[in-house]
Amino acid sequence: MSGEKDLGNIEGLRRLIRLLAVSSGIDEALADDLFDLLLSVDPKKGISDEEVEALKGYKQADVRKVFRIFYDLRLASYRKGKQPETGSTRYYWYLDPKNLDASLLRRKKLVLEKLKMRLAYEKSNEFYVCPKDGSRYTFDYAFEYEFTCPKCGSMLIPDNNGPYVKVLEERVKKLEEEIKQDEAKLYSH
Ligand SMILES: [Zn+2]
């Protein structure tokens, strides 16, 4: 594996982490920064949320939320340990490097499914659009409102989704190729 490829995967993961952070209402810059931090942590040692707070000044609760995202993506694991002075339980987080490639592949497959579903939806429906505010409706919905925009009352016009369908098809094709290459790489050794 070339170093460049690894970096490509890291950037792919970073995009997914940002998306998940946004969808969970977490600051994406925080998620990004903690991902970088974990990349630099020795997996054998790990780092506790308390140590992250001391190091970076982030609130432990926020740090735990982000680590939870990494955990859900199966990027990060933790081991339990004792805080040296107080003896209380601490969780030491680390990134599992061999999981990074497999995780990205898994996420790519999920994104591919979403793209395919969207493509099928676009191909099996007719759409109407409001020329004033750009709102978009399916034929059935537009029909129900007698082809006037429910928001502003303008007459709806047919929306040609051909270009959008084409973009979706291209994305699907590209991602499928990427997945094929990733699989070849992952399972070749
Ligand atoms: Zn409208």
Side-chain angles (χ1 to χ4, degrees):
M1 255 190 282
S2 73
E4 207 175 292
K5 274 259 167 57
D6 288 349
L7 201 67
N9 276 355
I10 296 290
E11 286 315 306
L13 278 173
R14 203 186 284 286
R15 277 199 300 277
L16 292 172
I17 287 165
R18 285 197 194 119
L19 283 174
L20 279 176
V22 169
S23 70
S24 312
I26 293 166
D27 181 24
E28 44 183 345
L30 170 68
D32 216 28
D33 198 26
L34 289 181
F35 185 55
D36 277 334
L37 179 67
L38 274 197
L39 280 170
S40 70
V41 164
D42 178 0
K44 288 190 199 83
K45 282 188 189 153
I47 191 166
S48 70
D49 42 16
E50 198 180 41
E51 288 167 335
V52 175
E53 186 184 42
L55 201 66
K56 291 280 189 174
Y58 299 134
K59 286 198 198 94
Q60 283 180 48
D62 292 338
V63 172
R64 276 195 292 272
K65 272 188 211 159
V66 173
F67 283 175
R68 179 76 213 181
I69 286 182
F70 298 162
Y71 185 73
D72 288 342
L73 281 170
R74 293 187 206 164
L75 296 176
S77 306
Y78 60 83
R79 65 178 70 83
K80 276 187 185 178
K82 292 249 182 281
Q83 212 265 348
E85 285 120 57
T86 63
S88 59
T89 305
R90 285 273 167 269
Y91 294 90
Y92 293 89
W93 293 83
Y94 59 95
L95 290 181
D96 196 344
K98 69 177 184 297
N99 273 348
L100 291 179
D101 286 344
S103 289
L104 181 59
L105 180 58
R106 231 176 356 251
R107 303 310 298 184
K108 277 183 184 172
K109 285 181 176 176
L110 284 178
V111 171
L112 179 64
E113 283 317 301
K114 281 191 177 167
L115 281 175
K116 280 181 165 175
M117 273 165 63
R118 184 76 206 187
L119 181 59
Y121 175 72
E122 289 294 326
K123 277 179 148 176
S124 60
N125 280 291
E126 271 178 62
F127 295 92
Y128 282 78
V129 68
C130 169
K132 224 177 193 173
D133 55 38
S135 305
R136 196 165 177 259
Y137 307 99
T138 60
F139 175 86
D140 288 347
Y141 198 88
F143 183 81
E144 212 175 294
Y145 285 89
E146 294 172 337
F147 300 95
T148 57
C149 177
K151 283 185 195 157
C152 72
S154 302
M155 275 301 284
L156 297 173
I157 53 171
D159 180 40
N160 171 22
N161 69 349
Y164 184 42
V165 165
K166 219 177 151 216
V167 167
L168 285 171
E169 281 172 341
E170 278 165 11
R171 296 277 155 84
V172 164
K173 206 177 145 217
K174 209 177 147 225
L175 195 54
E176 276 175 341
E177 279 164 12
E178 229 180 281
I179 287 170
K180 223 187 264 174
Q181 282 173 8
D182 286 357
E183 279 179 335
K185 203 180 76 178
L186 256 180
Y187 304 124
S188 67
H189 44 83

